[in-house]
Amino acid sequence: MKWKALAACALTAVALAVAGCGGGQSSSGKAGAPQGPDLKGKKLVMYVSFHEDTAKQLADSFKKKTGADVSFIRLPTGEALARIQAEKDAPKADIWLGGTADAHAKAAADGLLEAYKSPNAGMILPEYQDKDGYWYGTYLEVMSIGYNEKRFKEEFEPKGVKAPETLEDLLKPEFKGEIIMPDPRKSGTGNTFISSVLQQMGPEKGWAYLKALKPQVAQFTPSGFTPGQKTGAGEYLVCLNFISDQTLVSAKGQKIHSAIYDQAGWTTCPVGKIKNHANDEAAKAFIDFVLTKEAGDILVKTTHGVACNPDVAPPEGMKPLKELPLFKEYDLIKAGADKQKNCDEFFAD
């Protein structure tokens, strides 16, 4: 990826930040007046594929700014994509928020999303948005290996077992049946993992690794967040999911040690406009809003992810974006296109 774009886009973000949400400050200037377009009486329906708390805060902030009536349904990435596909002739939602960029790319390729060139597009780094405006990244998710600190110190450390921090560590016999990860057929997190492994290692080495890992895994979950929850609760020792999910669990007192492994897979959590939806004005205004620094601050606070708007400070304790050991050549479009055949192969046995 073109990391040198960071500085240039940051300057662009500063210049555009004054524009705010789809039209800027209300001309009245009175305290409590809407700061965006007047959408009183307009409805916005969203399918949301990330944390409900995050969606609620974004929805509440947008409603306060515009007066729009906002509602949402929380769905894992795979389920959201399937529902949008099933409803393509009569969509029941206007916006798809969250999930993974490979899933949004697949939806765009299948004609399920509608391009929109947001005036706030310059606030987002170019490598984290679709060049034609079908989706925009809101925050970055990075794959990580997490383990329950309490269980490891009590049960594994006394036996001289090394903490699992690399992909190769997960193949050790001591961890068989102690690993939980998302199901790539249903979870964008799971698909990000297997696709990034195959792209980074190459098909031969990648499939050899994944076939060795599969019997080590005790449970595959529909949601990408669940592995962190169950690991934090001590049901499993090791989780394989996004680091932001792990840190959210740790912040609630169930300590998970997280390690972003070398050449880690990653994705963005995008926002996209569903094709043939009903509420176009509200949908465009929401996309404009969610790309701003104000929305980015909400995203970082509630998800612990790194905002795709470089004007937003990273979460506490997280390294700057350019220092993360990411697999920078990861192809999000290929991940979406290859999902079905990769999942079929992974679960063939």
Side-chain angles (χ1 to χ4, degrees), residues 30-47:
K30 295 179 181 179
Q35 297 176 354
D38 184 1
L39 298 176
K40 188 174 182 180
K42 304 285 186 179
K43 293 184 178 181
L44 180 71
V45 180
M46 302 190 294
Y47 290 150

Side-chain angles (χ1 to χ4, degrees), residues 193-223:
F193 174 69
I194 66 170
S195 180
S196 61
V197 167
L198 290 170
Q199 289 187 35
Q200 192 272 320
M201 295 185 181
E204 184 176 350
K205 290 183 178 179
W207 279 120
Y209 175 79
L210 291 173
K211 293 293 185 180
L213 175 67
K214 186 170 176 282
Q216 295 282 98
V217 179
Q219 184 180 356
F220 294 93
T221 64
S223 167

Side-chain angles (χ1 to χ4, degrees), residues 221-237:
T221 64
S223 167
F225 187 52
T226 305
Q229 290 177 306
K230 288 183 175 289
T231 298
E235 294 181 44
Y236 298 93
L237 177 70

Side-chain angles (χ1 to χ4, degrees), residues 42-84:
K42 304 285 186 179
K43 293 184 178 181
L44 180 71
V45 180
M46 302 190 294
Y47 290 150
V48 173
S49 299
F50 56 37
H51 306 293
E52 191 166 338
D53 288 347
T54 305
K56 186 177 186 308
Q57 289 196 35
L58 289 172
D60 288 347
S61 182
F62 181 69
K63 181 177 181 179
K64 183 177 179 181
K65 294 173 76 67
T66 66
D69 180 9
V70 185
S71 61
F72 64 86
I73 299 172
R74 166 71 173 87
L75 296 167
T77 303
E79 290 183 26
L81 182 57
R83 182 173 293 201
I84 293 169

